[in-house]
Amino acid sequence: MSDTLPVVHTGTANLASVFAALRRAGVTPQDTLDAVVIEHAPRLVLPGVGAFGAAMQNLHEADLIEPLRRRLRAGRATFAICLGMQILCASSEETPGIEGLGLFDLPVTRFRNTPRIPQFGWAPVEVSPTTQGILCDGYAYFAHSYRLIEQPQGWRCAISEYGGPFVAALEKDGIVACQFHPELSGEWGHELICRWLEHTHND
Amino acid sequence: MATRRIIPCLDVSHGRVVKGVKFQGLRDAGCPVELSARYQEQGADEIVILDVSATPEGRGNQLDTVRKVREVLSIPLTVGGGIRKIEDASALLQAGADKVSMNTAAVFDPALLSAIAERFGRQCTVLAIDAAAKIGMEGWEVVVRSGTQRVGRDAIEWGKEGEERGAGEILLTSFDRDGTRSGYDLSQLRAFSQAVKLPIIASGGAHSPEHLLEALDAGADAVLAASIFHDGDWTVDALKVFLLSRGVEVRPPHTTQARLSTTTKNTDSSTHTTEGSQA
């Protein structure tokens, strides 16, 4: 009997890879649009692929924006993936004029001065400060055209480089947000998911 | 900056890997699940599964194959073959593909490419182009239906249109080199990588580590190969050791990381090109 883990059904997202990765990590993922679960569940996964505006629109239509904001303000354990991390920010160049969830009062912007857009593939990430935590150095799989550049204050930060440094992942207490796809980052990604599950167990 | 990717490709028909897999140690060399898992262990950066079944019935097992492969695969999975409508792409993505690759159907119905990119995102949408040298002219043209039909479309122009329509990557197969084991078509790769901004996966003709190196030097972001891996002469991690030794940035497999850190400690660091010194 394994724990059930709610995963926000963001609509645009292809959840199969996230679900398979969570099963390999020993939990049973369950997609949900239930506002109570999404606000109060001890742990939550916020996945996302597709466009910033479409994702926020879907959350808006499901009346999930305020429950998610309250959850994040309360600091409940949350694992945000790819676009899931971007919508934690204030805004994105991808969809100007649309407000994000605003956990980070910072804008997401498009890559500049890079040979190829989107960035597809594996890139090294480095964490600072190097104190113990859920995130660690390694190679992560990225698929994105937009990214966060500024580091929010008070968060442990993983940095990667593409046309200059950008934020690959953030961590504080039980909240982890990754620009990369841990579910597609091989053994390293699997271990990251397992560490988050261990860290947030019985929180 | 993203490292270059090594992508083993499995041709699957009726749920079984076709093109002989000769390396030892597999219980069932025709099983796409077992083979995908093996390449993942070897350090493959992605897996591509192309359904080459000639008939729709042959593709009956496709979704089942994708579901089973997804359970074991923690690296990206691209699936192609037989995608004719948006529902086909949707079913494959729900079954566990991270990207879908379109070829013939996109040529005859370019709006399909736009529709899939719009619905599922650019990062899901791979445009596969089979390009053959034009007859009596410079350049390359698009061929479809496994090369049996030339459609009179300039391949680079089609690549540019695909980029505008929302493709996220181009899987470029040299029709003239495919199966020849004489190396990728380097002039084609150079021309494509200059003409489009999208990442390009080189395919067709690989048979030696040098072939992969040449393609990456010519501008490919990733190299796809089948027989070089299936024959068992080269594992993915051995190829990566070779590429790292030539200064190409690849994601080191676990075994390679250990080996490189040992060798770097014991030798003059100037003789080694590691990820760190390249970054």
Side-chain angles (χ1 to χ4, degrees), chain A residues 130-166:
Chain A
T130 50
T131 49
Q132 280 266 300
I134 298 167
L135 298 170
C136 69
D137 293 357
Y139 281 78
Y141 180 79
F142 291 88
H144 62 132
S145 303
Y146 297 83
R147 82 296 196 223
L148 174 64
I149 290 186
E150 285 178 66
Q151 302 180 24
Q153 294 272 319
W155 288 71
R156 201 163 168 262
C157 188
I159 295 291
S160 191
E161 293 231 359
Y162 191 48
F166 69 91

PDB file of all heavy atoms in Angstrom, chain A residues 130-166:
ATOM      1  N   THR A 130      25.968  25.233  -1.040  1.00  0.00           N
ATOM      2  CA  THR A 130      26.182  23.797  -1.192  1.00  0.00           C
ATOM      3  C   THR A 130      25.782  23.005   0.047  1.00  0.00           C
ATOM      4  O   THR A 130      26.091  21.830   0.140  1.00  0.00           O
ATOM      5  CB  THR A 130      27.660  23.518  -1.518  1.00  0.00           C
ATOM      6  OG1 THR A 130      28.453  24.218  -0.563  1.00  0.00           O
ATOM      7  CG2 THR A 130      28.001  23.961  -2.903  1.00  0.00           C
ATOM      8  N   THR A 131      25.086  23.650   0.966  1.00  0.00           N
ATOM      9  CA  THR A 131      24.608  22.931   2.141  1.00  0.00           C
ATOM     10  C   THR A 131      23.656  21.820   1.718  1.00  0.00           C
ATOM     11  O   THR A 131      23.088  21.856   0.625  1.00  0.00           O
ATOM     12  CB  THR A 131      23.837  23.879   3.067  1.00  0.00           C
ATOM     13  OG1 THR A 131      22.889  24.584   2.272  1.00  0.00           O
ATOM     14  CG2 THR A 131      24.768  24.842   3.757  1.00  0.00           C
ATOM     15  N   GLN A 132      23.463  20.865   2.595  1.00  0.00           N
ATOM     16  CA  GLN A 132      22.578  19.733   2.316  1.00  0.00           C
ATOM     17  C   GLN A 132      21.157  20.195   2.014  1.00  0.00           C
ATOM     18  O   GLN A 132      20.653  21.137   2.619  1.00  0.00           O
ATOM     19  CB  GLN A 132      22.547  18.823   3.534  1.00  0.00           C
ATOM     20  CG  GLN A 132      23.746  17.914   3.632  1.00  0.00           C
ATOM     21  CD  GLN A 132      23.491  16.568   3.007  1.00  0.00           C
ATOM     22  OE1 GLN A 132      22.602  15.872   3.425  1.00  0.00           O
ATOM     23  NE2 GLN A 132      24.246  16.206   2.005  1.00  0.00           N
ATOM     24  N   GLY A 133      20.538  19.521   1.071  1.00  0.00           N
ATOM     25  CA  GLY A 133      19.159  19.832   0.763  1.00  0.00           C
ATOM     26  C   GLY A 133      18.616  18.800  -0.188  1.00  0.00           C
ATOM     27  O   GLY A 133      19.208  17.732  -0.365  1.00  0.00           O
ATOM     28  N   ILE A 134      17.503  19.126  -0.806  1.00  0.00           N
ATOM     29  CA  ILE A 134      16.878  18.184  -1.729  1.00  0.00           C
ATOM     30  C   ILE A 134      17.569  18.261  -3.089  1.00  0.00           C
ATOM     31  O   ILE A 134      17.843  17.250  -3.730  1.00  0.00           O
ATOM     32  CB  ILE A 134      15.372  18.498  -1.845  1.00  0.00           C
ATOM     33  CG1 ILE A 134      14.694  18.325  -0.480  1.00  0.00           C
ATOM     34  CG2 ILE A 134      14.711  17.601  -2.888  1.00  0.00           C
ATOM     35  CD1 ILE A 134      13.296  18.902  -0.388  1.00  0.00           C
ATOM     36  N   LEU A 135      17.872  19.472  -3.540  1.00  0.00           N
ATOM     37  CA  LEU A 135      18.540  19.647  -4.832  1.00  0.00           C
ATOM     38  C   LEU A 135      20.016  19.305  -4.710  1.00  0.00           C
ATOM     39  O   LEU A 135      20.622  19.525  -3.658  1.00  0.00           O
ATOM     40  CB  LEU A 135      18.407  21.099  -5.305  1.00  0.00           C
ATOM     41  CG  LEU A 135      16.993  21.616  -5.557  1.00  0.00           C
ATOM     42  CD1 LEU A 135      17.015  23.128  -5.790  1.00  0.00           C
ATOM     43  CD2 LEU A 135      16.392  20.909  -6.773  1.00  0.00           C
ATOM     44  N   CYS A 136      20.578  18.761  -5.781  1.00  0.00           N
ATOM     45  CA  CYS A 136      22.028  18.571  -5.805  1.00  0.00           C
ATOM     46  C   CYS A 136      22.548  18.740  -7.229  1.00  0.00           C
ATOM     47  O   CYS A 136      21.764  18.835  -8.178  1.00  0.00           O
ATOM     48  CB  CYS A 136      22.413  17.207  -5.223  1.00  0.00           C
ATOM     49  SG  CYS A 136      21.928  15.828  -6.239  1.00  0.00           S
ATOM     50  N   ASP A 137      23.868  18.809  -7.364  1.00  0.00           N
ATOM     51  CA  ASP A 137      24.485  18.984  -8.681  1.00  0.00           C
ATOM     52  C   ASP A 137      24.228  17.758  -9.559  1.00  0.00           C
ATOM     53  O   ASP A 137      24.075  16.648  -9.053  1.00  0.00           O
ATOM     54  CB  ASP A 137      26.000  19.151  -8.543  1.00  0.00           C
ATOM     55  CG  ASP A 137      26.384  20.447  -7.841  1.00  0.00           C
ATOM     56  OD1 ASP A 137      25.479  21.226  -7.510  1.00  0.00           O
ATOM     57  OD2 ASP A 137      27.587  20.665  -7.638  1.00  0.00           O
ATOM     58  N   GLY A 138      24.218  17.969 -10.860  1.00  0.00           N
ATOM     59  CA  GLY A 138      24.071  16.834 -11.766  1.00  0.00           C
ATOM     60  C   GLY A 138      23.658  17.307 -13.146  1.00  0.00           C
ATOM     61  O   GLY A 138      23.746  18.500 -13.453  1.00  0.00           O
ATOM     62  N   TYR A 139      23.191  16.363 -13.946  1.00  0.00           N
ATOM     63  CA  TYR A 139      22.716  16.680 -15.291  1.00  0.00           C
ATOM     64  C   TYR A 139      21.207  16.530 -15.337  1.00  0.00           C
ATOM     65  O   TYR A 139      20.667  15.497 -14.944  1.00  0.00           O
ATOM     66  CB  TYR A 139      23.364  15.753 -16.315  1.00  0.00           C
ATOM     67  CG  TYR A 139      24.760  16.170 -16.660  1.00  0.00           C
ATOM     68  CD1 TYR A 139      25.821  15.888 -15.814  1.00  0.00           C
ATOM     69  CD2 TYR A 139      25.030  16.884 -17.832  1.00  0.00           C
ATOM     70  CE1 TYR A 139      27.110  16.287 -16.112  1.00  0.00           C
ATOM     71  CE2 TYR A 139      26.309  17.282 -18.143  1.00  0.00           C
ATOM     72  CZ  TYR A 139      27.352  16.986 -17.273  1.00  0.00           C
ATOM     73  OH  TYR A 139      28.613  17.393 -17.586  1.00  0.00           O
ATOM     74  N   ALA A 140      20.533  17.563 -15.837  1.00  0.00           N
ATOM     75  CA  ALA A 140      19.075  17.577 -15.873  1.00  0.00           C
ATOM     76  C   ALA A 140      18.604  17.741 -17.313  1.00  0.00           C
ATOM     77  O   ALA A 140      19.293  18.345 -18.139  1.00  0.00           O
ATOM     78  CB  ALA A 140      18.545  18.727 -15.019  1.00  0.00           C
ATOM     79  N   TYR A 141      17.401  17.222 -17.582  1.00  0.00           N
ATOM     80  CA  TYR A 141      16.835  17.338 -18.925  1.00  0.00           C
ATOM     81  C   TYR A 141      15.906  18.553 -19.008  1.00  0.00           C
ATOM     82  O   TYR A 141      14.939  18.669 -18.249  1.00  0.00           O
ATOM     83  CB  TYR A 141      16.067  16.071 -19.310  1.00  0.00           C
ATOM     84  CG  TYR A 141      15.485  16.180 -20.704  1.00  0.00           C
ATOM     85  CD1 TYR A 141      16.282  15.977 -21.829  1.00  0.00           C
ATOM     86  CD2 TYR A 141      14.155  16.550 -20.897  1.00  0.00           C
ATOM     87  CE1 TYR A 141      15.770  16.122 -23.101  1.00  0.00           C
ATOM     88  CE2 TYR A 141      13.637  16.705 -22.179  1.00  0.00           C
ATOM     89  CZ  TYR A 141      14.453  16.487 -23.269  1.00  0.00           C
ATOM     90  OH  TYR A 141      13.938  16.641 -24.530  1.00  0.00           O
ATOM     91  N   PHE A 142      16.199  19.434 -19.950  1.00  0.00           N
ATOM     92  CA  PHE A 142      15.426  20.666 -20.143  1.00  0.00           C
ATOM     93  C   PHE A 142      14.704  20.641 -21.488  1.00  0.00           C
ATOM     94  O   PHE A 142      15.215  20.098 -22.470  1.00  0.00           O
ATOM     95  CB  PHE A 142      16.365  21.881 -20.166  1.00  0.00           C
ATOM     96  CG  PHE A 142      17.013  22.214 -18.853  1.00  0.00           C
ATOM     97  CD1 PHE A 142      18.221  21.625 -18.493  1.00  0.00           C
ATOM     98  CD2 PHE A 142      16.438  23.121 -17.980  1.00  0.00           C
ATOM     99  CE1 PHE A 142      18.843  21.941 -17.286  1.00  0.00           C
ATOM    100  CE2 PHE A 142      17.046  23.450 -16.778  1.00  0.00           C
ATOM    101  CZ  PHE A 142      18.248  22.857 -16.428  1.00  0.00           C
ATOM    102  N   ALA A 143      13.534  21.273 -21.550  1.00  0.00           N
ATOM    103  CA  ALA A 143      12.833  21.514 -22.818  1.00  0.00           C
ATOM    104  C   ALA A 143      12.042  22.805 -22.642  1.00  0.00           C
ATOM    105  O   ALA A 143      10.926  22.784 -22.140  1.00  0.00           O
ATOM    106  CB  ALA A 143      11.906  20.352 -23.156  1.00  0.00           C
ATOM    107  N   HIS A 144      12.626  23.945 -23.015  1.00  0.00           N
ATOM    108  CA  HIS A 144      11.955  25.220 -22.741  1.00  0.00           C
ATOM    109  C   HIS A 144      12.548  26.367 -23.545  1.00  0.00           C
ATOM    110  O   HIS A 144      13.696  26.296 -23.992  1.00  0.00           O
ATOM    111  CB  HIS A 144      12.050  25.555 -21.238  1.00  0.00           C
ATOM    112  CG  HIS A 144      13.462  25.742 -20.735  1.00  0.00           C
ATOM    113  ND1 HIS A 144      13.837  26.804 -19.968  1.00  0.00           N
ATOM    114  CD2 HIS A 144      14.583  25.008 -20.914  1.00  0.00           C
ATOM    115  CE1 HIS A 144      15.122  26.717 -19.681  1.00  0.00           C
ATOM    116  NE2 HIS A 144      15.587  25.628 -20.241  1.00  0.00           N
ATOM    117  N   SER A 145      11.744  27.398 -23.713  1.00  0.00           N
ATOM    118  CA  SER A 145      12.181  28.609 -24.410  1.00  0.00           C
ATOM    119  C   SER A 145      12.247  29.814 -23.476  1.00  0.00           C
ATOM    120  O   SER A 145      12.782  30.854 -23.840  1.00  0.00           O
ATOM    121  CB  SER A 145      11.211  28.940 -25.546  1.00  0.00           C
ATOM    122  OG  SER A 145      11.102  27.853 -26.434  1.00  0.00           O
ATOM    123  N   TYR A 146      11.633  29.692 -22.304  1.00  0.00           N
ATOM    124  CA  TYR A 146      11.570  30.798 -21.335  1.00  0.00           C
ATOM    125  C   TYR A 146      12.208  30.354 -20.032  1.00  0.00           C
ATOM    126  O   TYR A 146      12.263  29.163 -19.734  1.00  0.00           O
ATOM    127  CB  TYR A 146      10.103  31.187 -21.080  1.00  0.00           C
ATOM    128  CG  TYR A 146       9.428  31.691 -22.325  1.00  0.00           C
ATOM    129  CD1 TYR A 146       8.895  30.803 -23.248  1.00  0.00           C
ATOM    130  CD2 TYR A 146       9.372  33.050 -22.604  1.00  0.00           C
ATOM    131  CE1 TYR A 146       8.313  31.251 -24.420  1.00  0.00           C
ATOM    132  CE2 TYR A 146       8.782  33.517 -23.757  1.00  0.00           C
ATOM    133  CZ  TYR A 146       8.251  32.611 -24.666  1.00  0.00           C
ATOM    134  OH  TYR A 146       7.682  33.068 -25.826  1.00  0.00           O
ATOM    135  N   ARG A 147      12.694  31.332 -19.276  1.00  0.00           N
ATOM    136  CA  ARG A 147      13.354  30.970 -18.011  1.00  0.00           C
ATOM    137  C   ARG A 147      13.378  32.147 -17.059  1.00  0.00           C
ATOM    138  O   ARG A 147      13.215  33.307 -17.443  1.00  0.00           O
ATOM    139  CB  ARG A 147      14.772  30.433 -18.275  1.00  0.00           C
ATOM    140  CG  ARG A 147      15.863  31.497 -18.469  1.00  0.00           C
ATOM    141  CD  ARG A 147      15.648  32.344 -19.687  1.00  0.00           C
ATOM    142  NE  ARG A 147      16.838  33.089 -20.080  1.00  0.00           N
ATOM    143  CZ  ARG A 147      16.814  34.375 -20.469  1.00  0.00           C
ATOM    144  NH1 ARG A 147      15.689  35.065 -20.470  1.00  0.00           N
ATOM    145  NH2 ARG A 147      17.925  34.958 -20.847  1.00  0.00           N
ATOM    146  N   LEU A 148      13.625  31.829 -15.782  1.00  0.00           N
ATOM    147  CA  LEU A 148      13.783  32.827 -14.725  1.00  0.00           C
ATOM    148  C   LEU A 148      15.275  33.124 -14.601  1.00  0.00           C
ATOM    149  O   LEU A 148      16.093  32.202 -14.574  1.00  0.00           O
ATOM    150  CB  LEU A 148      13.237  32.256 -13.414  1.00  0.00           C
ATOM    151  CG  LEU A 148      13.416  33.069 -12.139  1.00  0.00           C
ATOM    152  CD1 LEU A 148      12.654  34.385 -12.225  1.00  0.00           C
ATOM    153  CD2 LEU A 148      12.942  32.263 -10.931  1.00  0.00           C
ATOM    154  N   ILE A 149      15.624  34.400 -14.535  1.00  0.00           N
ATOM    155  CA  ILE A 149      17.044  34.737 -14.409  1.00  0.00           C
ATOM    156  C   ILE A 149      17.409  35.136 -12.978  1.00  0.00           C
ATOM    157  O   ILE A 149      18.415  34.687 -12.446  1.00  0.00           O
ATOM    158  CB  ILE A 149      17.420  35.867 -15.395  1.00  0.00           C
ATOM    159  CG1 ILE A 149      17.383  35.333 -16.815  1.00  0.00           C
ATOM    160  CG2 ILE A 149      18.814  36.396 -15.079  1.00  0.00           C
ATOM    161  CD1 ILE A 149      17.867  36.309 -17.840  1.00  0.00           C
ATOM    162  N   GLU A 150      16.570  35.974 -12.366  1.00  0.00           N
ATOM    163  CA  GLU A 150      16.926  36.463 -11.026  1.00  0.00           C
ATOM    164  C   GLU A 150      16.630  35.412  -9.968  1.00  0.00           C
ATOM    165  O   GLU A 150      15.612  34.724 -10.027  1.00  0.00           O
ATOM    166  CB  GLU A 150      16.112  37.715 -10.698  1.00  0.00           C
ATOM    167  CG  GLU A 150      16.577  38.954 -11.403  1.00  0.00           C
ATOM    168  CD  GLU A 150      15.677  40.125 -11.043  1.00  0.00           C
ATOM    169  OE1 GLU A 150      15.686  40.528  -9.864  1.00  0.00           O
ATOM    170  OE2 GLU A 150      14.951  40.602 -11.932  1.00  0.00           O
ATOM    171  N   GLN A 151      17.501  35.349  -8.977  1.00  0.00           N
ATOM    172  CA  GLN A 151      17.296  34.399  -7.886  1.00  0.00           C
ATOM    173  C   GLN A 151      16.465  35.054  -6.791  1.00  0.00           C
ATOM    174  O   GLN A 151      16.858  36.095  -6.288  1.00  0.00           O
ATOM    175  CB  GLN A 151      18.630  33.970  -7.299  1.00  0.00           C
ATOM    176  CG  GLN A 151      19.562  33.346  -8.308  1.00  0.00           C
ATOM    177  CD  GLN A 151      20.874  32.924  -7.668  1.00  0.00           C
ATOM    178  OE1 GLN A 151      20.935  32.681  -6.474  1.00  0.00           O
ATOM    179  NE2 GLN A 151      21.920  32.833  -8.482  1.00  0.00           N
ATOM    180  N   PRO A 152      15.361  34.441  -6.402  1.00  0.00           N
ATOM    181  CA  PRO A 152      14.607  35.012  -5.288  1.00  0.00           C
ATOM    182  C   PRO A 152      15.404  34.897  -3.983  1.00  0.00           C
ATOM    183  O   PRO A 152      16.127  33.928  -3.780  1.00  0.00           O
ATOM    184  CB  PRO A 152      13.329  34.168  -5.242  1.00  0.00           C
ATOM    185  CG  PRO A 152      13.595  32.953  -6.042  1.00  0.00           C
ATOM    186  CD  PRO A 152      14.739  33.233  -6.964  1.00  0.00           C
ATOM    187  N   GLN A 153      15.237  35.887  -3.127  1.00  0.00           N
ATOM    188  CA  GLN A 153      15.939  35.907  -1.834  1.00  0.00           C
ATOM    189  C   GLN A 153      15.489  34.751  -0.953  1.00  0.00           C
ATOM    190  O   GLN A 153      14.299  34.454  -0.885  1.00  0.00           O
ATOM    191  CB  GLN A 153      15.609  37.216  -1.106  1.00  0.00           C
ATOM    192  CG  GLN A 153      16.137  38.460  -1.774  1.00  0.00           C
ATOM    193  CD  GLN A 153      17.542  38.796  -1.323  1.00  0.00           C
ATOM    194  OE1 GLN A 153      17.843  38.682  -0.152  1.00  0.00           O
ATOM    195  NE2 GLN A 153      18.390  39.191  -2.260  1.00  0.00           N
ATOM    196  N   GLY A 154      16.439  34.134  -0.287  1.00  0.00           N
ATOM    197  CA  GLY A 154      16.103  33.161   0.742  1.00  0.00           C
ATOM    198  C   GLY A 154      15.834  31.756   0.216  1.00  0.00           C
ATOM    199  O   GLY A 154      15.390  30.900   0.961  1.00  0.00           O
ATOM    200  N   TRP A 155      16.069  31.543  -1.064  1.00  0.00           N
ATOM    201  CA  TRP A 155      15.850  30.210  -1.630  1.00  0.00           C
ATOM    202  C   TRP A 155      17.186  29.594  -2.018  1.00  0.00           C
ATOM    203  O   TRP A 155      18.068  30.276  -2.529  1.00  0.00           O
ATOM    204  CB  TRP A 155      14.946  30.296  -2.872  1.00  0.00           C
ATOM    205  CG  TRP A 155      13.527  30.593  -2.511  1.00  0.00           C
ATOM    206  CD1 TRP A 155      13.045  31.779  -2.042  1.00  0.00           C
ATOM    207  CD2 TRP A 155      12.425  29.695  -2.554  1.00  0.00           C
ATOM    208  NE1 TRP A 155      11.707  31.680  -1.786  1.00  0.00           N
ATOM    209  CE2 TRP A 155      11.293  30.405  -2.102  1.00  0.00           C
ATOM    210  CE3 TRP A 155      12.272  28.367  -2.936  1.00  0.00           C
ATOM    211  CZ2 TRP A 155      10.024  29.823  -2.020  1.00  0.00           C
ATOM    212  CZ3 TRP A 155      11.020  27.783  -2.857  1.00  0.00           C
ATOM    213  CH2 TRP A 155       9.907  28.508  -2.400  1.00  0.00           C
ATOM    214  N   ARG A 156      17.292  28.288  -1.770  1.00  0.00           N
ATOM    215  CA  ARG A 156      18.429  27.538  -2.271  1.00  0.00           C
ATOM    216  C   ARG A 156      18.242  27.391  -3.779  1.00  0.00           C
ATOM    217  O   ARG A 156      17.142  27.098  -4.249  1.00  0.00           O
ATOM    218  CB  ARG A 156      18.457  26.167  -1.606  1.00  0.00           C
ATOM    219  CG  ARG A 156      19.775  25.490  -1.629  1.00  0.00           C
ATOM    220  CD  ARG A 156      19.796  24.357  -0.597  1.00  0.00           C
ATOM    221  NE  ARG A 156      20.957  23.534  -0.833  1.00  0.00           N
ATOM    222  CZ  ARG A 156      20.930  22.398  -1.523  1.00  0.00           C
ATOM    223  NH1 ARG A 156      19.801  21.925  -1.979  1.00  0.00           N
ATOM    224  NH2 ARG A 156      22.043  21.722  -1.725  1.00  0.00           N
ATOM    225  N   CYS A 157      19.298  27.595  -4.538  1.00  0.00           N
ATOM    226  CA  CYS A 157      19.119  27.811  -5.964  1.00  0.00           C
ATOM    227  C   CYS A 157      20.050  26.919  -6.778  1.00  0.00           C
ATOM    228  O   CYS A 157      21.236  26.817  -6.470  1.00  0.00           O
ATOM    229  CB  CYS A 157      19.409  29.288  -6.227  1.00  0.00           C
ATOM    230  SG  CYS A 157      19.022  29.808  -7.867  1.00  0.00           S
ATOM    231  N   ALA A 158      19.508  26.267  -7.818  1.00  0.00           N
ATOM    232  CA  ALA A 158      20.334  25.524  -8.768  1.00  0.00           C
ATOM    233  C   ALA A 158      20.417  26.345 -10.051  1.00  0.00           C
ATOM    234  O   ALA A 158      19.398  26.818 -10.556  1.00  0.00           O
ATOM    235  CB  ALA A 158      19.733  24.158  -9.065  1.00  0.00           C
ATOM    236  N   ILE A 159      21.639  26.520 -10.540  1.00  0.00           N
ATOM    237  CA  ILE A 159      21.863  27.369 -11.706  1.00  0.00           C
ATOM    238  C   ILE A 159      22.308  26.507 -12.890  1.00  0.00           C
ATOM    239  O   ILE A 159      23.066  25.553 -12.732  1.00  0.00           O
ATOM    240  CB  ILE A 159      22.960  28.415 -11.384  1.00  0.00           C
ATOM    241  CG1 ILE A 159      22.479  29.376 -10.290  1.00  0.00           C
ATOM    242  CG2 ILE A 159      23.381  29.185 -12.630  1.00  0.00           C
ATOM    243  CD1 ILE A 159      21.381  30.306 -10.714  1.00  0.00           C
ATOM    244  N   SER A 160      21.815  26.856 -14.075  1.00  0.00           N
ATOM    245  CA  SER A 160      22.327  26.251 -15.297  1.00  0.00           C
ATOM    246  C   SER A 160      22.655  27.391 -16.258  1.00  0.00           C
ATOM    247  O   SER A 160      22.381  28.563 -15.941  1.00  0.00           O
ATOM    248  CB  SER A 160      21.293  25.298 -15.893  1.00  0.00           C
ATOM    249  OG  SER A 160      21.871  24.536 -16.925  1.00  0.00           O
ATOM    250  N   GLU A 161      23.237  27.081 -17.395  1.00  0.00           N
ATOM    251  CA  GLU A 161      23.640  28.132 -18.320  1.00  0.00           C
ATOM    252  C   GLU A 161      23.133  27.851 -19.718  1.00  0.00           C
ATOM    253  O   GLU A 161      23.248  26.736 -20.215  1.00  0.00           O
ATOM    254  CB  GLU A 161      25.183  28.202 -18.399  1.00  0.00           C
ATOM    255  CG  GLU A 161      25.827  28.654 -17.140  1.00  0.00           C
ATOM    256  CD  GLU A 161      26.808  29.801 -17.372  1.00  0.00           C
ATOM    257  OE1 GLU A 161      26.967  30.208 -18.545  1.00  0.00           O
ATOM    258  OE2 GLU A 161      27.384  30.282 -16.390  1.00  0.00           O
ATOM    259  N   TYR A 162      22.546  28.871 -20.319  1.00  0.00           N
ATOM    260  CA  TYR A 162      22.254  28.816 -21.746  1.00  0.00           C
ATOM    261  C   TYR A 162      22.135  30.270 -22.191  1.00  0.00           C
ATOM    262  O   TYR A 162      21.185  30.944 -21.803  1.00  0.00           O
ATOM    263  CB  TYR A 162      20.970  28.035 -22.024  1.00  0.00           C
ATOM    264  CG  TYR A 162      20.757  27.728 -23.484  1.00  0.00           C
ATOM    265  CD1 TYR A 162      21.792  27.191 -24.264  1.00  0.00           C
ATOM    266  CD2 TYR A 162      19.534  27.960 -24.107  1.00  0.00           C
ATOM    267  CE1 TYR A 162      21.599  26.897 -25.602  1.00  0.00           C
ATOM    268  CE2 TYR A 162      19.332  27.662 -25.445  1.00  0.00           C
ATOM    269  CZ  TYR A 162      20.365  27.134 -26.186  1.00  0.00           C
ATOM    270  OH  TYR A 162      20.165  26.854 -27.518  1.00  0.00           O
ATOM    271  N   GLY A 163      23.104  30.763 -22.916  1.00  0.00           N
ATOM    272  CA  GLY A 163      23.136  32.188 -23.233  1.00  0.00           C
ATOM    273  C   GLY A 163      23.215  33.016 -21.964  1.00  0.00           C
ATOM    274  O   GLY A 163      22.636  34.097 -21.881  1.00  0.00           O
ATOM    275  N   GLY A 164      23.915  32.517 -20.957  1.00  0.00           N
ATOM    276  CA  GLY A 164      24.014  33.161 -19.641  1.00  0.00           C
ATOM    277  C   GLY A 164      23.328  32.313 -18.596  1.00  0.00           C
ATOM    278  O   GLY A 164      22.560  31.410 -18.925  1.00  0.00           O
ATOM    279  N   PRO A 165      23.630  32.591 -17.318  1.00  0.00           N
ATOM    280  CA  PRO A 165      23.052  31.777 -16.260  1.00  0.00           C
ATOM    281  C   PRO A 165      21.548  31.976 -16.116  1.00  0.00           C
ATOM    282  O   PRO A 165      21.036  33.071 -16.370  1.00  0.00           O
ATOM    283  CB  PRO A 165      23.781  32.248 -14.992  1.00  0.00           C
ATOM    284  CG  PRO A 165      24.481  33.493 -15.332  1.00  0.00           C
ATOM    285  CD  PRO A 165      24.546  33.630 -16.818  1.00  0.00           C
ATOM    286  N   PHE A 166      20.851  30.919 -15.753  1.00  0.00           N
ATOM    287  CA  PHE A 166      19.425  31.039 -15.423  1.00  0.00           C
ATOM    288  C   PHE A 166      19.120  30.096 -14.267  1.00  0.00           C
ATOM    289  O   PHE A 166      19.945  29.242 -13.914  1.00  0.00           O
ATOM    290  CB  PHE A 166      18.532  30.757 -16.642  1.00  0.00           C
ATOM    291  CG  PHE A 166      18.525  29.325 -17.097  1.00  0.00           C
ATOM    292  CD1 PHE A 166      17.608  28.418 -16.608  1.00  0.00           C
ATOM    293  CD2 PHE A 166      19.446  28.880 -18.043  1.00  0.00           C
ATOM    294  CE1 PHE A 166      17.607  27.093 -17.024  1.00  0.00           C
ATOM    295  CE2 PHE A 166      19.453  27.555 -18.468  1.00  0.00           C
ATOM    296  CZ  PHE A 166      18.534  26.666 -17.956  1.00  0.00           C
TER     297      PHE A 166
END
